């Protein structure tokens, strides 16, 4: 392939990456995924740009529920031994995928393999994010002491940086996990404060983030437990709208399940049954 053709293809990839990242920044993961699929139908020579495009394809496929596609792309990237940031993000993506599939051991392995190179190279953002993801996984599997230890490390790592825009989302993700840690210990007021603070930080920075519907769902769950059913449904419907815009079927299913439980608690049983069925249909 001539040098001019190679240069032209690299420019094409760079434009696709910029376009995809712009769509992702507004939570249009389906649009970004489609854009990348169309561009990558054309063969490209091996390059950092190609790996970056494939990473974004894998990450957006994960969000919109194309899990086999995500697995294929992320595993391919790991085997290609890409630049360090792409390797770390690929491992984080694989960890998230196996966590959602209910395979915590494999999830933990991939997340740990993301943390190790991040620590070796001193990539602070990826260190903290890997610690938060590992802390989240530990919380899900009932290892609360481990979760607390990891979240304390993450908090120390980003303490002086949280006001910086590029750290806001990670800080919110960490506070969400602190909220869930307190919730699991029945410290509901402390949990609410952490979740509300995380939501406020995202909105103050005007960031479009998938962390926001996650927080809204948990706030809805907590409102439901206090029998504040109307407030609970408001939180859940906000979360549902954001997940729907992002094409996140997994998130939508979890919200519909939570809405069903809220309706069940409010003795609106027919609506609850319908909503549970909706959640089930999204998981197929």
């Amino acid at each position: 392939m001539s040098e001019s053709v190679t240069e032209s293809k690299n420019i094409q990839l760079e434009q696709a990456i910029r376009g995809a990242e712009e769509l992702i920044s507004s939570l249009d993961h389906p649009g970004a995924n489609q854009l990348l699929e169309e561009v990558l139908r054309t063969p490209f020579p091996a390059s950092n740009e190609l790996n970056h495009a494939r990473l974004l394809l894998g990450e957006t496929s994960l969000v919109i529920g194309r899990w086999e596609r995500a697995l294929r792309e992320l595993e391919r990237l790991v085997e290609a031994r890409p630049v360090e940031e792409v390797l770390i993000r690929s491992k984080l993506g694989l960890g998230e995928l196996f966590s959602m599939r209910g395979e915590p051991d494999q999830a933990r392995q991939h997340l740990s393999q993301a943390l190790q190179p991040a620590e070796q190279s001193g990539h602070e953002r990826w260190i903290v994010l890997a610690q938060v993801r590992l802390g989240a996984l530990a919380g899900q599997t009932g290892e609360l002491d481990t979760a607390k230890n990891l979240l304390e490390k993450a908090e120390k790592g980003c303490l002086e940086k949280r006001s910086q825009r590029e750290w806001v989302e990670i800080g919110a993700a960490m506070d969400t996990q602190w909220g869930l840690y307190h919730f699991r210990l029945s410290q509901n007021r402390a949990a609410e404060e952490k979740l509300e603070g995380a939501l406020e930080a995202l909105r103050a920075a005007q960031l479009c983030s998938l962390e926001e519907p996650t927080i809204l769902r948990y706030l809805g769950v907590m409102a439901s437990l206090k029998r504040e059913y109307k407030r609970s449904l408001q939180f859940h419907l906000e979360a549902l709208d954001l997940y729907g815009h992002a094409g996140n079927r997994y998130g939508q299913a979890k919200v519909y399940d939570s809405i069903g439980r809220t309706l069940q608690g409010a003795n609106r049983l027919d609506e609850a049954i319908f909503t549970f069925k909706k959640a089930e249909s999204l998981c197929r």
Side-chain angles (χ1 to χ4, degrees):
M1 189 178 292
S2 71
E3 187 175 333
S4 61
V5 171
T6 301
E7 184 178 352
S8 174
K9 283 184 169 290
N10 284 338
I11 291 171
Q12 184 182 358
L13 270 179
E14 288 169 2
Q15 290 173 339
I17 289 166
R18 283 196 298 272
E21 288 179 333
E22 185 175 337
L23 291 167
I24 291 166
S25 71
S26 64
L27 293 187
D28 187 0
H29 293 268
N33 190 265
Q34 183 178 354
L35 170 64
L36 292 162
E37 281 283 16
E38 289 173 357
V39 168
L40 291 174
R41 288 194 186 107
T42 302
F44 288 92
S47 66
N48 289 335
E49 289 80 9
L50 179 60
N51 286 339
H52 191 177
R54 290 202 175 281
L55 173 66
L56 294 176
L57 177 60
E59 290 177 337
T60 54
S61 294
L62 184 59
V63 170
I64 66 174
R66 300 179 65 201
W67 288 1
E68 292 306 316
R69 185 71 163 119
L71 181 64
R72 188 163 68 248
E73 288 299 334
L74 295 174
E75 285 186 335
R76 181 190 297 181
L77 280 169
V78 170
E79 292 170 2
R81 299 183 178 276
V83 296
E84 202 159 59
E85 182 174 328
V86 172
L87 173 63
I88 292 167
R89 285 172 62 177
S90 297
K91 282 292 183 180
L92 287 171
L94 288 167
E96 186 176 357
L97 172 58
F98 283 106
S99 177
M100 290 191 295
R101 281 178 23 172
E103 301 178 49
D105 291 338
Q106 289 200 62
R108 188 175 294 107
Q109 180 182 352
H110 285 295
L111 293 173
S112 297
Q113 290 171 351
L115 179 59
Q116 185 179 6
E119 288 180 328
Q120 288 172 348
S121 57
H123 281 297
E124 292 178 321
R125 290 184 75 253
W126 303 117
I127 291 170
V128 171
L129 185 55
Q131 288 169 336
V132 169
R133 295 271 178 87
L134 282 163
L137 184 63
Q140 290 166 7
T141 54
E143 303 164 82
L144 295 187
D145 288 342
T146 300
K148 182 182 180 183
N149 180 51
L150 285 160
L151 292 174
E152 285 175 341
K153 287 180 179 179
E155 193 162 44
K156 185 177 179 180
C158 70
L159 190 61
E160 297 178 358
K161 306 176 186 69
R162 294 194 58 168
S163 61
Q164 300 173 26
R165 183 174 175 81
E166 62 267 26
W167 281 85
V168 170
E169 186 174 23
I170 293 176
M174 182 184 67
D175 283 346
T176 300
Q177 294 308 316
W178 271 124
L180 294 178
Y181 171 80
H182 289 301
F183 179 65
R184 290 174 179 126
L185 293 174
S186 299
Q187 299 168 350
N188 289 3
R189 186 58 217 146
E192 278 188 302
E193 287 175 359
K194 283 293 184 182
L195 292 168
E196 288 167 354
L199 184 61
E200 183 180 345
L202 287 173
R203 289 180 170 177
Q206 297 183 322
L207 281 178
C208 291
S209 167
L210 281 173
E211 198 62 34
E212 183 171 348
T214 300
I215 296 165
L216 288 165
R217 185 176 79 85
Y218 287 127
L219 286 170
V221 169
M222 298 194 71
S224 181
L225 291 174
K226 293 192 292 184
R227 299 186 179 181
E228 297 174 357
Y229 299 123
K230 183 176 180 181
R231 184 165 173 259
S232 173
L233 288 171
Q234 287 173 340
F235 282 130
H236 280 118
L237 291 173
E238 283 187 72
L240 197 60
D241 183 60
L242 289 168
Y243 277 135
H245 178 66
N248 191 321
R249 291 171 62 87
Y250 180 78
Q252 287 177 291
K254 292 179 78 171
V255 174
Y256 273 119
D257 182 75
S258 294
I259 291 173
R261 295 176 192 276
T262 298
L263 293 168
Q264 196 172 38
N267 206 31
R268 294 162 60 177
L269 300 183
D270 288 342
E271 293 170 88
I273 290 168
F274 175 82
T275 309
F276 285 136
K277 288 180 179 177
K278 182 71 174 177
E280 185 180 350
S281 71
L282 285 164
C283 293
R284 289 175 188 152

